[in-house]
Amino acid sequence: MSIMTPKDKAKEICNKFSWEKLEDGYKMFQTFDETKRCALIAVELHLEELSKMKLIFSDRELHYKYWQEVKQEINNL
């Protein structure tokens, strides 16, 4: 299993906040600015939790850096 690039992860998160699955397909249910705001809130919450876990796992720094890059990529969309 390969890890997604921060840019791909940013797009995936935004897509989850943008589209609603319907029986006959998908529909967009908010503006892209709203989507980005929701995605940034989700990533920020994840970063906050990672910062609390510094003693729990050794790769926390790498995960934190990855999610900071995801946040930057969301801002760049």
Side-chain angles (χ1 to χ4, degrees), residues 15-28:
N15 282 336
K16 289 182 185 248
F17 284 104
S18 301
W19 299 95
E20 179 179 14
K21 185 166 177 32
L22 304 171
E23 287 182 20
D24 59 343
Y26 291 86
K27 78 169 188 172
M28 185 174 257

Side-chain angles (χ1 to χ4, degrees), residues 29-75:
F29 60 88
Q30 59 185 2
T31 68
F32 192 68
D33 285 341
E34 291 168 330
T35 293
K36 282 177 63 172
R37 189 171 60 237
C38 290
L40 288 168
I41 289 168
V43 170
E44 192 60 43
L45 288 170
H46 189 71
L47 286 166
E48 286 174 18
E49 290 303 312
L50 279 174
S51 69
K52 294 175 188 176
M53 296 183 195
K54 60 180 115 177
L55 299 176
I56 295 175
F57 62 95
S58 60
D59 289 341
R60 186 197 68 83
E61 296 292 327
L62 291 174
H63 292 304
Y64 194 86
K65 183 177 184 275
Y66 173 81
W67 284 99
Q68 284 284 28
E69 291 173 13
V70 170
K71 183 177 174 181
Q72 183 63 42
E73 291 295 339
I74 292 170
N75 280 315

